[in-house]
Amino acid sequence: QVALTESGGGWVPPGGSLRLSCAASGRSFSNYVVAWFRQNPGKEREFVAAIARRGGNTIYADSVKGRFTISKDNAKNEVSLQMNSLKPEDTAVYYCAASATIITSSMRDDERYGYWGQGTQVTVSS
């Protein structure tokens, strides 16, 4: 079992930056693929980014590629999402998710993740 806690959300004007963090307790993050998803009310959950167990492989949604960076510090049991050049359409609740069994080809599939945080709100507006 692993418990996930997100932090770092808030309000930012368009073009601004935020850094989200996902802290794990209970198990070492080095055994888990970790991803970020986001969701708005009435809409499906959307994949944002994912990082492999050892941190060497990362994938991104096309909508955030070049603006967001996911990173993993297994020593601190933490995954971060650096979000730059934020747009109003990035507004959502952001969730951290983890899986010990997922394979690389399924990293974008939210149904493959068994552990989820409570979410943190990100609002981009002027």
Side-chain angles (χ1 to χ4, degrees):
Q1 297 284 341
V2 63
L4 306 177
T5 304
E6 302 99 334
S7 61
W11 171 86
V12 64
S17 298
L18 279 177
R19 185 177 182 89
L20 305 183
S21 293
C22 174
S25 61
R27 291 284 179 93
S28 171
F29 243 174
S30 63
N31 298 319
Y32 292 83
V33 169
V34 181
W36 288 94
F37 290 83
R38 64 188 183 187
Q39 189 172 25
N40 281 303
K43 294 190 175 181
E44 291 189 357
R45 194 155 48 194
E46 176 188 14
F47 170 78
V48 176
I51 189 164
R53 290 171 179 80
R54 298 187 184 276
N57 183 25
T58 58
I59 58 172
Y60 297 91
D62 287 344
S63 59
V64 307
K65 200 172 294 184
R67 300 187 297 122
F68 291 11
T69 303
I70 188 171
S71 59
K72 197 169 189 236
D73 188 334
N74 284 328
K76 294 183 178 179
N77 250 15
E78 187 174 278
V79 169
S80 297
L81 184 69
Q82 178 66 41
M83 306 186 295
N84 299 328
S85 303
L86 282 161
K87 305 175 181 180
E89 50 264 43
D90 294 318
T91 295
V93 177
Y94 283 70
Y95 297 91
C96 174
S99 172
T101 60
I102 198 170
I103 59 175
T104 301
S105 60
S106 299
M107 287 167 70
R108 298 173 185 267
D109 186 352
D110 62 344
E111 295 185 359
R112 301 289 184 172
Y113 291 86
Y115 301 99
W116 292 83
Q118 81 287 349
T120 185
Q121 176 71 46
V122 171
T123 302
V124 185
S125 71
S126 54

